[in-house]
Coordinates of all heavy atoms in Angstrom, one line a residue:
M1 N -6.7 5.4 20.6 CA -5.3 5.1 20.0 C -5.0 3.7 20.1 O -4.4 3.1 19.2 CB -4.3 6.0 20.8 CG -3.0 6.0 20.2 SD -3.0 6.6 18.6 CE -1.3 6.6 18.2
Q2 N -5.3 3.0 21.2 CA -5.0 1.6 21.4 C -5.7 0.7 20.4 O -5.1 -0.2 19.9 CB -5.3 1.2 22.8 CG -4.5 1.8 23.9 CD -5.0 1.5 25.3 OE1 -6.1 0.8 25.4 NE2 -4.3 1.9 26.3
R3 N -6.9 1.0 20.1 CA -7.7 0.2 19.2 C -7.1 0.4 17.8 O -6.9 -0.6 17.0 CB -9.1 0.7 19.1 CG -9.9 -0.2 18.2 CD -11.4 0.1 18.1 NE -12.0 1.0 19.0 CZ -13.1 1.7 18.9 NH1 -13.8 1.6 17.8 NH2 -13.6 2.5 19.8
L4 N -6.6 1.6 17.4 CA -6.0 1.9 16.1 C -4.7 1.1 16.0 O -4.5 0.5 14.9 CB -5.8 3.4 15.9 CG -5.1 3.7 14.6 CD1 -6.0 3.4 13.5 CD2 -4.7 5.2 14.7
L5 N -3.9 1.0 17.0 CA -2.7 0.3 17.0 C -2.9 -1.2 16.9 O -2.2 -1.9 16.2 CB -1.8 0.6 18.2 CG -1.2 2.0 18.2 CD1 -0.5 2.2 19.5 CD2 -0.3 2.2 17.1
I6 N -3.9 -1.7 17.6 CA -4.2 -3.1 17.5 C -4.7 -3.5 16.1 O -4.3 -4.5 15.5 CB -5.3 -3.5 18.6 CG1 -4.7 -3.5 19.9 CG2 -5.9 -4.9 18.3 CD1 -5.7 -3.6 21.1
I7 N -5.6 -2.7 15.5 CA -6.1 -2.9 14.2 C -5.0 -2.8 13.2 O -4.8 -3.7 12.3 CB -7.2 -1.9 13.8 CG1 -8.5 -2.2 14.7 CG2 -7.6 -2.0 12.3 CD1 -9.5 -1.2 14.6
L8 N -4.1 -1.8 13.3 CA -2.9 -1.7 12.4 C -2.0 -2.9 12.5 O -1.5 -3.5 11.5 CB -2.2 -0.4 12.7 CG -1.0 -0.1 11.8 CD1 -1.5 0.1 10.4 CD2 -0.3 1.1 12.3
G9 N -1.8 -3.4 13.8 CA -1.0 -4.6 14.0 C -1.6 -5.9 13.3 O -0.9 -6.7 12.7
L10 N -2.9 -6.0 13.4 CA -3.6 -7.1 12.8 C -3.5 -7.0 11.3 O -3.4 -8.1 10.6 CB -5.1 -7.2 13.3 CG -5.3 -7.6 14.7 CD1 -6.7 -7.5 15.1 CD2 -4.8 -9.0 15.0
F11 N -3.6 -5.8 10.8 CA -3.5 -5.6 9.3 C -2.1 -6.0 8.8 O -2.0 -6.7 7.8 CB -3.8 -4.2 9.0 CG -3.7 -3.9 7.5 CD1 -4.7 -4.3 6.6 CD2 -2.6 -3.2 7.0 CE1 -4.6 -4.1 5.3 CE2 -2.5 -2.9 5.7 CZ -3.5 -3.4 4.8
V12 N -1.1 -5.6 9.6 CA 0.3 -6.0 9.2 C 0.5 -7.5 9.3 O 1.1 -8.1 8.4 CB 1.3 -5.2 10.0 CG1 2.7 -5.7 9.9 CG2 1.2 -3.7 9.7
L13 N -0.1 -8.1 10.3 CA 0.0 -9.5 10.5 C -0.6 -10.3 9.3 O -0.1 -11.2 8.7 CB -0.6 -10.0 11.8 CG -0.6 -11.5 12.0 CD1 0.8 -12.0 12.3 CD2 -1.6 -11.8 13.2
A14 N -1.8 -9.8 8.9 CA -2.6 -10.4 7.8 C -1.8 -10.2 6.5 O -1.7 -11.1 5.7 CB -4.0 -9.8 7.7
A15 N -1.2 -9.0 6.3 CA -0.4 -8.8 5.1 C 0.8 -9.7 5.1 O 1.2 -10.2 4.0 CB 0.0 -7.3 5.0
G16 N 1.4 -10.0 6.2 CA 2.6 -10.9 6.2 C 2.2 -12.3 6.0 O 2.9 -13.1 5.3
L17 N 1.0 -12.7 6.5 CA 0.5 -14.1 6.2 C 0.1 -14.3 4.8 O 0.4 -15.4 4.2 CB -0.6 -14.4 7.1 CG -0.3 -14.6 8.6 CD1 -1.6 -14.7 9.4 CD2 0.6 -15.7 8.9
F18 N -0.4 -13.3 4.2 CA -0.9 -13.5 2.8 C 0.1 -12.9 1.8 O -0.3 -12.7 0.6 CB -2.3 -12.8 2.6 CG -3.4 -13.4 3.4 CD1 -3.9 -12.8 4.5 CD2 -3.8 -14.7 3.0 CE1 -4.9 -13.4 5.2 CE2 -4.8 -15.3 3.7 CZ -5.4 -14.7 4.8
W19 N 1.3 -12.7 2.2 CA 2.3 -12.1 1.3 C 2.5 -12.9 0.0 O 2.7 -12.2 -1.1 CB 3.7 -11.9 2.0 CG 4.6 -11.1 1.1 CD1 5.7 -11.6 0.5 CD2 4.5 -9.8 0.8 NE1 6.3 -10.6 -0.2 CE2 5.6 -9.5 -0.1 CE3 3.6 -8.7 1.1 CZ2 5.8 -8.2 -0.6 CZ3 3.8 -7.5 0.6 CH2 4.9 -7.2 -0.2
P20 N 2.6 -14.2 0.0 CA 2.8 -14.9 -1.3 C 1.7 -14.5 -2.4 O 2.0 -14.4 -3.5 CB 2.7 -16.4 -0.9 CG 3.1 -16.4 0.5 CD 2.6 -15.1 1.1
W21 N 0.5 -14.3 -1.9 CA -0.6 -13.9 -2.8 C -0.6 -12.4 -3.1 O -0.9 -12.0 -4.2 CB -1.9 -14.4 -2.2 CG -2.0 -15.9 -2.1 CD1 -2.3 -16.7 -3.1 CD2 -1.8 -16.6 -0.9 NE1 -2.3 -18.0 -2.6 CE2 -2.0 -18.0 -1.3 CE3 -1.6 -16.3 0.4 CZ2 -1.9 -19.0 -0.4 CZ3 -1.4 -17.3 1.3 CH2 -1.6 -18.6 0.9
L22 N -0.2 -11.6 -2.1 CA -0.2 -10.2 -2.3 C 0.9 -9.7 -3.2 O 0.8 -8.7 -3.9 CB -0.1 -9.5 -0.9 CG -1.3 -9.6 0.0 CD1 -0.9 -8.9 1.4 CD2 -2.5 -8.9 -0.6
A23 N 2.0 -10.5 -3.3 CA 3.1 -10.2 -4.2 C 2.7 -10.2 -5.7 O 3.3 -9.6 -6.5 CB 4.3 -11.1 -3.9
R24 N 1.7 -11.0 -6.0 CA 1.2 -11.1 -7.4 C 0.4 -9.9 -7.8 O 0.2 -9.7 -9.0 CB 0.4 -12.4 -7.5 CG 1.2 -13.6 -7.3 CD 0.4 -14.8 -7.4 NE 1.1 -16.0 -6.9 CZ 0.6 -17.1 -6.6 NH1 -0.7 -17.3 -6.7 NH2 1.3 -18.1 -6.2
I25 N -0.1 -9.1 -6.9 CA -0.9 -7.9 -7.2 C 0.1 -6.9 -7.8 O 1.1 -6.6 -7.3 CB -1.6 -7.4 -6.0 CG1 -2.6 -8.4 -5.5 CG2 -2.4 -6.1 -6.3 CD1 -3.3 -8.0 -4.2
P26 N -0.3 -6.2 -8.9 CA 0.6 -5.3 -9.6 C 0.9 -4.0 -8.9 O 1.2 -3.0 -9.6 CB 0.0 -5.2 -11.0 CG -1.4 -5.3 -10.7 CD -1.6 -6.3 -9.6
F27 N 0.7 -3.8 -7.6 CA 1.0 -2.6 -7.0 C 2.5 -2.3 -7.1 O 3.3 -3.1 -6.9 CB 0.6 -2.6 -5.5 CG -0.8 -2.6 -5.2 CD1 -1.4 -3.5 -4.4 CD2 -1.6 -1.6 -5.9 CE1 -2.8 -3.4 -4.2 CE2 -3.0 -1.6 -5.6 CZ -3.6 -2.5 -4.8
G28 N 2.8 -1.1 -7.4 CA 4.2 -0.7 -7.7 C 4.5 -0.8 -9.1 O 5.6 -0.3 -9.6
R29 N 3.7 -1.3 -9.9 CA 3.9 -1.4 -11.4 C 2.6 -0.9 -12.1 O 2.3 -1.4 -13.2 CB 4.2 -2.9 -11.8 CG 5.4 -3.4 -11.2 CD 5.6 -4.9 -11.5 NE 4.4 -5.6 -11.0 CZ 4.5 -6.6 -10.1 NH1 5.7 -7.0 -9.7 NH2 3.5 -7.2 -9.7
L30 N 1.9 0.0 -11.5 CA 0.7 0.5 -12.1 C 1.1 1.6 -13.1 O 2.1 2.2 -13.1 CB -0.2 1.1 -11.0 CG -0.8 0.2 -10.0 CD1 -1.5 0.9 -8.9 CD2 -1.7 -0.8 -10.7
P31 N 0.2 1.8 -14.1 CA 0.4 3.0 -15.0 C 0.5 4.3 -14.3 O -0.4 4.5 -13.4 CB -0.8 2.9 -16.0 CG -1.4 1.6 -15.8 CD -1.0 1.1 -14.4
G32 N 1.4 5.1 -14.5 CA 1.6 6.3 -13.8 C 2.7 6.3 -12.8 O 3.2 7.3 -12.3
D33 N 3.2 5.1 -12.5 CA 4.4 5.0 -11.6 C 5.6 5.2 -12.5 O 5.8 4.7 -13.6 CB 4.5 3.6 -11.0 CG 3.4 3.3 -10.0 OD1 2.8 4.3 -9.5 OD2 3.2 2.1 -9.6
I34 N 6.6 6.0 -12.0 CA 7.7 6.4 -12.7 C 8.9 5.4 -12.4 O 9.2 5.2 -11.2 CB 8.1 7.8 -12.4 CG1 7.0 8.8 -12.7 CG2 9.4 8.2 -13.1 CD1 7.2 10.2 -12.2
H35 N 9.5 4.9 -13.4 CA 10.6 3.9 -13.3 C 11.6 4.2 -14.4 O 11.3 4.0 -15.6 CB 10.1 2.5 -13.3 CG 11.2 1.5 -12.9 ND1 11.2 0.2 -13.4 CD2 12.3 1.6 -12.2 CE1 12.2 -0.4 -12.8 NE2 12.9 0.5 -12.1
I36 N 12.8 4.7 -14.0 CA 13.8 5.1 -14.9 C 15.0 4.2 -14.7 O 15.5 4.2 -13.6 CB 14.2 6.6 -14.8 CG1 13.0 7.5 -15.1 CG2 15.3 6.9 -15.8 CD1 13.2 8.9 -14.8
Q37 N 15.5 3.5 -15.7 CA 16.7 2.7 -15.6 C 17.7 3.1 -16.6 O 17.4 3.3 -17.8 CB 16.3 1.2 -15.9 CG 15.5 0.5 -14.9 CD 15.2 -0.9 -15.2 OE1 14.9 -1.2 -16.4 NE2 15.3 -1.8 -14.3
R38 N 18.9 3.4 -16.1 CA 20.0 3.7 -16.9 C 21.2 3.0 -16.4 O 21.2 2.3 -15.4 CB 20.3 5.2 -16.9 CG 19.1 6.1 -17.3 CD 19.5 7.5 -17.7 NE 18.4 8.3 -17.8 CZ 17.7 8.5 -18.9 NH1 18.0 7.9 -20.0 NH2 16.6 9.4 -18.9
D39 N 22.3 3.1 -17.1 CA 23.6 2.4 -16.7 C 24.0 2.8 -15.3 O 24.3 4.0 -15.1 CB 24.7 2.6 -17.6 CG 24.4 1.9 -19.0 OD1 23.6 0.9 -19.0 OD2 25.0 2.4 -20.0
G40 N 24.0 2.0 -14.3 CA 24.4 2.3 -12.9 C 23.4 3.2 -12.2 O 23.8 3.7 -11.1
F41 N 22.2 3.3 -12.7 CA 21.2 4.2 -12.0 C 19.8 3.6 -12.2 O 19.4 3.2 -13.3 CB 21.3 5.6 -12.7 CG 20.3 6.6 -12.1 CD1 20.5 7.1 -10.9 CD2 19.1 6.9 -12.8 CE1 19.6 8.0 -10.3 CE2 18.2 7.8 -12.3 CZ 18.5 8.4 -11.0
D42 N 19.1 3.6 -11.1 CA 17.7 3.0 -11.1 C 16.9 3.9 -10.2 O 17.2 4.1 -9.0 CB 17.7 1.6 -10.6 CG 16.4 0.9 -10.9 OD1 15.7 1.3 -11.7 OD2 16.2 -0.1 -10.2
F43 N 15.9 4.6 -10.8 CA 15.0 5.5 -10.1 C 13.6 5.0 -10.2 O 13.1 4.7 -11.3 CB 15.1 6.9 -10.6 CG 14.2 7.9 -9.9 CD1 14.5 8.3 -8.7 CD2 13.0 8.3 -10.6 CE1 13.7 9.2 -8.0 CE2 12.2 9.2 -9.9 CZ 12.5 9.7 -8.7
F44 N 12.9 4.9 -9.0 CA 11.5 4.4 -9.0 C 10.7 5.4 -8.1 O 11.1 5.6 -7.0 CB 11.4 3.0 -8.5 CG 10.0 2.5 -8.5 CD1 9.4 2.2 -9.7 CD2 9.4 2.2 -7.3 CE1 8.1 1.7 -9.6 CE2 8.1 1.8 -7.2 CZ 7.4 1.5 -8.4
F45 N 9.6 5.9 -8.6 CA 8.7 6.8 -7.8 C 7.3 6.3 -8.1 O 6.7 6.6 -9.1 CB 8.9 8.2 -8.2 CG 8.2 9.2 -7.3 CD1 8.6 9.4 -6.0 CD2 7.1 9.9 -7.8 CE1 8.0 10.2 -5.2 CE2 6.5 10.8 -7.0 CZ 6.9 11.0 -5.6
P46 N 6.6 5.6 -7.1 CA 5.3 5.1 -7.3 C 4.2 6.1 -7.1 O 3.5 6.1 -6.1 CB 5.2 4.0 -6.3 CG 6.1 4.4 -5.2 CD 7.2 5.2 -5.9
V47 N 4.0 7.0 -8.1 CA 3.0 8.0 -8.0 C 1.6 7.4 -7.9 O 0.8 7.7 -6.9 CB 3.0 9.0 -9.2 CG1 2.0 10.0 -9.1 CG2 4.4 9.6 -9.3
T48 N 1.2 6.6 -8.8 CA -0.2 6.1 -8.8 C -0.4 5.1 -7.7 O -1.5 5.2 -7.0 CB -0.4 5.3 -10.2 OG1 -0.1 6.2 -11.2 CG2 -1.9 4.9 -10.3
T49 N 0.6 4.3 -7.3 CA 0.4 3.4 -6.2 C 0.3 4.2 -4.9 O -0.6 3.8 -4.1 CB 1.7 2.5 -6.1 OG1 1.8 1.8 -7.3 CG2 1.5 1.5 -5.0
G50 N 1.0 5.3 -4.7 CA 0.9 6.1 -3.5 C -0.5 6.8 -3.4 O -1.1 6.8 -2.4
L51 N -1.0 7.3 -4.6 CA -2.3 7.9 -4.5 C -3.4 6.8 -4.2 O -4.3 7.1 -3.4 CB -2.6 8.5 -5.9 CG -1.8 9.8 -6.2 CD1 -2.1 10.2 -7.6 CD2 -2.2 10.9 -5.2
L52 N -3.3 5.7 -4.8 CA -4.3 4.6 -4.5 C -4.2 4.2 -3.1 O -5.2 4.0 -2.4 CB -4.0 3.4 -5.5 CG -5.0 2.3 -5.4 CD1 -6.4 2.8 -5.8 CD2 -4.6 1.2 -6.3
F53 N -3.0 4.0 -2.6 CA -2.9 3.6 -1.2 C -3.4 4.7 -0.2 O -4.1 4.4 0.8 CB -1.4 3.3 -0.9 CG -1.1 2.9 0.5 CD1 -1.4 1.6 0.9 CD2 -0.5 3.7 1.5 CE1 -1.2 1.2 2.2 CE2 -0.3 3.3 2.7 CZ -0.6 2.0 3.1
S54 N -3.2 5.9 -0.5 CA -3.7 7.0 0.3 C -5.2 7.1 0.3 O -5.8 7.3 1.3 CB -3.1 8.4 -0.2 OG -3.7 9.4 0.5
L55 N -5.8 6.8 -0.9 CA -7.2 6.8 -1.0 C -7.9 5.7 -0.2 O -8.8 5.9 0.6 CB -7.6 6.7 -2.5 CG -9.1 6.7 -2.8 CD1 -9.7 8.0 -2.5 CD2 -9.4 6.2 -4.2
V56 N -7.3 4.5 -0.3 CA -7.8 3.4 0.5 C -7.6 3.6 2.0 O -8.6 3.3 2.8 CB -7.1 2.1 0.0 CG1 -7.5 0.9 0.9 CG2 -7.6 1.7 -1.4
L57 N -6.5 4.1 2.4 CA -6.2 4.3 3.8 C -7.2 5.4 4.3 O -7.7 5.3 5.5 CB -4.8 4.7 4.0 CG -4.3 4.8 5.4 CD1 -4.4 3.4 6.1 CD2 -2.8 5.2 5.5
S58 N -7.4 6.5 3.6 CA -8.3 7.5 4.0 C -9.7 7.0 4.1 O -10.5 7.3 5.1 CB -8.3 8.7 3.0 OG -7.1 9.3 3.0
L59 N -10.1 6.1 3.2 CA -11.5 5.5 3.3 C -11.6 4.7 4.5 O -12.6 4.7 5.2 CB -11.8 4.7 2.0 CG -13.1 4.1 1.9 CD1 -14.2 5.1 1.9 CD2 -13.2 3.2 0.7
L60 N -10.6 3.8 4.8 CA -10.7 3.0 6.0 C -10.7 3.8 7.3 O -11.5 3.5 8.2 CB -9.5 2.0 6.0 CG -9.5 0.9 5.0 CD1 -8.2 0.1 5.0 CD2 -10.6 0.0 5.3
I61 N -9.9 4.8 7.4 CA -9.9 5.7 8.6 C -11.3 6.4 8.7 O -11.8 6.4 9.8 CB -8.8 6.7 8.5 CG1 -7.4 6.0 8.7 CG2 -8.9 7.8 9.6 CD1 -6.2 6.9 8.5
W62 N -11.9 6.8 7.6 CA -13.2 7.5 7.7 C -14.2 6.5 8.1 O -15.1 6.8 9.0 CB -13.5 8.0 6.3 CG -14.8 8.7 6.2 CD1 -15.2 9.9 6.7 CD2 -16.0 8.1 5.7 NE1 -16.5 10.1 6.5 CE2 -17.1 9.1 5.8 CE3 -16.3 6.9 5.0 CZ2 -18.4 8.8 5.4 CZ3 -17.6 6.7 4.6 CH2 -18.6 7.6 4.8
L63 N -14.2 5.2 7.7 CA -15.1 4.2 8.1 C -15.0 3.8 9.6 O -16.0 3.6 10.2 CB -15.0 3.0 7.2 CG -15.5 3.1 5.8 CD1 -15.1 1.8 5.0 CD2 -17.0 3.3 5.8
F64 N -13.7 3.7 10.1 CA -13.6 3.4 11.5 C -14.0 4.5 12.4 O -14.3 4.3 13.6 CB -12.1 3.0 11.7 CG -11.8 1.6 11.3 CD1 -10.8 1.4 10.4 CD2 -12.5 0.5 11.7 CE1 -10.5 0.1 9.9 CE2 -12.2 -0.8 11.3 CZ -11.2 -1.0 10.4
R65 N -13.9 5.7 12.0 CA -14.3 6.9 12.8 C -15.8 7.1 12.9 O -16.3 7.8 13.8 CB -13.6 8.1 12.3 CG -12.2 8.1 12.6 CD -11.6 9.5 12.5 NE -10.2 9.4 12.9 CZ -9.7 10.1 13.9 NH1 -10.4 11.0 14.5 NH2 -8.4 10.0 14.2
R66 N -16.6 6.5 12.0 CA -18.0 6.6 12.0 C -18.6 5.8 13.1 O -18.4 4.9 13.6 CB -18.6 6.2 10.7 CG -18.2 7.3 9.6 CD -19.0 7.0 8.4 NE -20.2 7.7 8.5 CZ -21.4 7.3 7.9 NH1 -21.4 6.3 7.2 NH2 -22.4 8.0 8.1

């Protein structure tokens, strides 16, 4: 558990350091993400981004457990 928390902390630190470059990646605006805008109402549901993030996270966890 300690190793997982350290790795997660390093990942968050790296994401924070590289944020100017990571913000240019179109995550959150992928095809399949639902974004509805109306007067006084804004709804966003990142379906494709969530699935992609889940797949990558599952793959990383699987690799670290081997």
Side-chain angles (χ1 to χ4, degrees):
M1 185 65 172
Q2 293 172 353
R3 185 182 343 161
L4 178 65
L5 288 175
I6 290 172
I7 291 171
L8 185 62
L10 290 174
F11 179 74
V12 169
L13 177 69
L17 290 173
F18 294 110
W19 186 253
W21 296 283
L22 290 175
R24 296 180 190 161
I25 298 174
F27 288 129
R29 296 175 300 239
L30 295 173
D33 290 346
I34 299 170
H35 190 203
I36 300 171
Q37 289 180 319
R38 303 201 193 270
D39 293 335
F41 179 74
D42 193 20
F43 178 75
F44 181 71
F45 189 68
V47 176
T48 307
T49 302
L51 289 173
L52 184 63
F53 183 73
S54 176
L55 179 71
V56 169
L57 190 61
S58 295
L59 180 64
L60 287 174
I61 290 172
W62 179 77
L63 287 173
F64 282 123
R65 291 199 174 234
R66 289 188 88 212

